Structure formats: C-alpha cells, structure tokens
Amino acid sequence: MIPFLDLKAVNAQYRDELIEACTKVIDSGWYVQGKECQEFEKEFAAHCETKYAIGVANGLDALILILRAYKELGIMKDGDEVIVPSNTYIASILAISENNLVPILVEPDINTYLLNSSKIEEKITSKTKAILPVHLYGQTCDMDDINEIAKKYNLKVIEDSAQSHGAYYKNKRCGNLGDASGFSFYPGKNLGALGDGGAVTTNDEDLANTIKVLGNYGSQKKYENLYKGVNSRLDEMQAAMLRVKLRHIDEEIKKRRKIANYYLKNIKNENIVLPSVRVEDNHVWHLFVIRTEKRDKLQKYLLDNGIQTLIHYPLAPHKQEAYKEWNNESFPISEKIHDEVLSLPISAVQTMDDTIEIVETINKWKI
C-alpha cells in the first residue's frame, strides 16, 4: 500500500535530532514559556521575514487570537464582517464566528481554488473590517489585488497560512503578505510538530504584544490580567521539535516540488483536471489536489490498486450542520470543488518509484 502520508517516516529522517531536542527540554526542567519557544519564535519570524512571531496552541487559536486582538485594540467589534473563501477548511470560518464577527463567504477561482479577488468588492459593506485569504493547498493567493482592495476600503488582511509554510508570493514569504498571519503546526503540515501547535506572524508591534498577552490568560505580569484571556501557548517540547524541522523545511519543499512536477508532466488522463499553478517556484505543495466528476469511483479504483488518497474536503462549509443557517444558500463553484477534489499522496519521503506507480495507475483509469 502506498500511504497518503507516512508521518512516522517523515519524522524518522530527523530522529536523532528530535531525541536530542526533547532530551534537552526534559533536562531543562522548564516546559512552558521558556527558551525553546522564544528561540523558535525568533527563528520562525526570520523564516517568514516578519518582525514578530508568537507561538500559540494551534492554528485555529492563531486566527482566533488575531481577530480577538483587533477587537481589544478597538479596530473591530461584535457584528463586524470578515470576508473569507467559501471553500476553505471550516477552521478559517470558526475563528470569525468565535469572535462574534460575521463570516462573509466569497467564491474561489475554479482553477486555483483560491479566493477570487474579482468577487471581493461586491461583498464589501460598511461593516466589513477584514479580508481573510486562505493560501489553500500550499499556493499563495493573488495578494496584490487583495491588498489593493484592502487599502481602498481600509480593511485588515489576515492570511490563513496553515497550509503554506515557506510559500512565496513574488519575492515575499507567506506570513508577511498582509497585516497578520495564522499558521498551524499540526503533524501533517509541511512544518509539523509531533502534536498540536501554531503561530501568529506580524510586523505590528501592538498586535503582537496584545496576542501574546491574550494567549497567556490576558496576563502580561504574573497574577495581573489586562484582558479576559485564554490559555494558548506553544509548549517547550513542540517548540524544540519545530526548531529541528524548520532547519529542513526548504529541502523538504524541493522534494515535494519534484513529485508535483512529475505528476503535472506525466498524468495524462482526459477525465482528470490537474492543479493550476501560477508560479512553479512559489507553490509548496502541502497537497496535490486533482478533480474529476467521478471522484468516488477514482478513489475506490486507486485504493483497490494499493494507493491511499484523501478528500480535502468532502463537504463545503455552508453545507455543514454547524452553519445550518447557510444550508440553503448556493455557492456552485465551491460545491463543484468539494464534490470533485481528490488529494494524491505527496511528501518529502515519498519515493519516485511510488510516484511513477501512482501516475501509471491513474493513466490506466477509465470511467
């Protein structure tokens, strides 16, 4: 069986380094808000080319805390609107709802699956305060257009970079393409911890300081609380392991690109739509997502032939029970995407032999 993602093999590459990092933390006797997190924050900020990075508990918290901080700073208030793509993973939308803000869904581009910047302005109202572009699957959104719209209407731009660690837009890294960005270090990400973790990046000092305080129970000084905060901190063990893996991320991206390029050049099946890539060297290929009208049939065929695939994502956010108020709304492009997408195996440890077998098997598939 060719697995969709072999996390054990991914981390085995750095086994000795990871054990050394964990041992260092264990022996330090300091497990929360210590040196490892501080050093990771510096290193991740340098990687993203931002002034600040703040470690938090997970990717959802990263987005929640950005929006919460903007509320505490008086930039947003309950009932304000945030524009978000209608085909994103639901976490992007949950972060908005959690802050008593209103998600405004905008359809994606059918080719890139990214927020369609040409459809944003028609959804802007007097209550709109931010645009939340999602760099889905590892490719950055059209940030020139999005930032131009944001400037025109005085809106904040909050990147959801949960799937795009290391990706570029032109000459800038994701995480440094708007006012703030939320990252996830869930184990399956391109930069994955061995547990949950997340981070916020920004160049805004006030925002960074507010997020740091909010994530520490609202406390800047022990037992003194400025805000009704939460507990959302990146622990020392995960920070230490992320420091190890951050050193290798660019090399892993190169390996992912090699596989993706082989798929793009060699999958020759008229029933399959391949990903659309704007700039080859900007995409980090967290996922390699194809489309076909017979998605379920293809997935079964591949499984029968020893190839595991996943669906990201089978149900559109507006069709979820959690947002039943949207269930009767129509987002035809998103619905088409969610009905047809299938993610092929891709990782830094996937062999070219496996990649060739996947391509040959797909090319033999007939509807």
Side-chain angles (χ1 to χ4, degrees), residues 190-203:
N190 287 20
L191 179 60
L194 276 74
D196 266 323
V200 173
T201 57
T202 184
N203 294 309

Side-chain angles (χ1 to χ4, degrees), residues 14 32 34 45 99 101-102 267 307:
Y14 317 119
V32 179
N99 279 287
L101 301 169
V102 181
I267 293 177
I307 299 168

